Amino acid sequence: MNRDYERGALDDEAAGTDPIALFTTWFNEARDAGVPDHNAMALATAGSLSISCRIVLLSSFDRNGFVFHTNYNSRKAMDLERDPRAALTFFWPQLERQVRIEGKAEHTSGPESDAYFLTRPIERRIASWSSDQSRMVGSREQLEERYARWQERFNGQEIPRPLHWGGVRVRPVRIEFWHGRKDRMHDRVVFEHFADGSWQRMRLQP
């Protein structure tokens, strides 16, 4: 519970001036280190009466933002419709690293969502049709019956993307990189995004 972090550091040279490049390096290093579910991230939303947080999977990222996919009728998607502000957190304990991202969410385009949907296994495409995500259901058996009905309906047919399912892109305005250090003197480097497209880097006290 009180162990020290001694696996590395984040100096200014390693941080560089481009947070997307740094994130790419850290993300790939988490993958190469075999971190389980290295693309898992906590998503926090504030569109309801209370703030809500859950784990979702990063589908892709680039300089335009960080993308995950969901049912647009789910609570998280409805929260983001009411208030597009979003926060993402990656934690890779094996590497003693954390990344926090703040930004605004928007739907990806229809063609983008279609392209990703076609990469999903057939069983998950059926699940996108059968589940009214975040809605109550009487029992597990009812949920499985719904799945079986949609499975039968699409038997041997191409499964199109339902209009209520697609991508959400979080366009970052702030990205913070945290690297654990000994004696709780952690490295914290934050980048803030400006309207002209530039990023400003700052170091924060732990």
Side-chain angles (χ1 to χ4, degrees):
M1 295 292 290
N2 292 299
R3 70 181 180 88
D4 258 332
Y5 299 102
E6 300 179 324
R7 289 186 58 90
L10 179 58
D11 59 30
D12 291 343
E13 182 178 357
T17 59
D18 183 346
I20 305 303
L22 178 56
F23 180 85
T24 300
T25 297
W26 278 24
F27 186 81
N28 291 340
E29 289 177 352
R31 178 201 61 203
D32 295 343
V35 176
D37 298 319
H38 70 283
N39 64 326
M41 57 187 183
L43 164 68
T45 57
S48 302
L49 293 177
S50 61
I51 296 172
S52 183
C53 186
R54 75 289 284 163
I55 301 297
V56 299
L57 297 179
L58 178 71
S59 302
S60 65
F61 69 92
D62 56 24
R63 297 193 177 279
N64 293 317
F66 299 80
V67 177
F68 65 93
H69 290 79
T70 189
N71 185 314
Y72 289 148
N73 296 323
S74 65
R75 176 177 174 181
K76 57 182 169 295
M78 297 301 292
D79 279 356
L80 293 171
E81 282 290 325
R82 299 184 186 100
D83 185 338
R85 293 177 300 167
L88 308 171
T89 300
F90 294 84
F91 182 47
W92 300 305
Q94 293 88 339
L95 302 180
E96 300 175 353
R97 290 172 173 173
Q98 174 182 258
V99 181
R100 298 170 55 200
I101 299 162
E102 300 171 22
K104 290 189 175 182
E106 61 187 29
H107 288 186
T108 60
S109 69
E112 285 181 274
S113 295
D114 289 339
Y116 182 79
F117 189 77
L118 290 176
T119 70
R120 306 186 88 208
I122 290 175
E123 295 78 9
R124 296 181 191 177
R125 294 187 225 175
I126 294 172
S128 300
W129 282 93
S130 67
S131 174
D132 289 332
Q133 194 174 110
S134 301
R135 303 299 191 275
M136 289 190 298
V137 65
S139 66
R140 177 72 192 188
E141 290 71 23
Q142 289 182 13
L143 187 64
E144 291 177 352
E145 288 171 3
R146 285 175 57 91
Y147 183 92
R149 289 197 299 270
W150 282 102
Q151 189 176 39
E152 182 178 0
R153 176 173 177 177
F154 286 123
N155 185 28
Q157 300 180 37
E158 184 64 36
I159 303 173
R161 177 181 64 90
L163 294 180
H164 62 257
W165 189 96
V168 176
R169 174 177 288 108
V170 177
R171 292 187 178 271
V173 296
R174 181 182 173 95
I175 305 178
E176 180 185 323
F177 296 85
W178 176 96
H179 203 307
R181 295 292 299 272
K182 188 177 179 180
D183 300 324
R184 298 299 186 264
M185 293 295 289
H186 310 305
D187 286 322
R188 294 178 64 189
V189 175
V190 64
F191 294 82
E192 293 195 351
H193 192 251
F194 291 90
D196 64 0
S198 65
W199 290 92
Q200 178 183 359
R201 188 190 74 199
M202 297 168 284
R203 180 171 288 271
L204 304 180
Q205 298 183 54

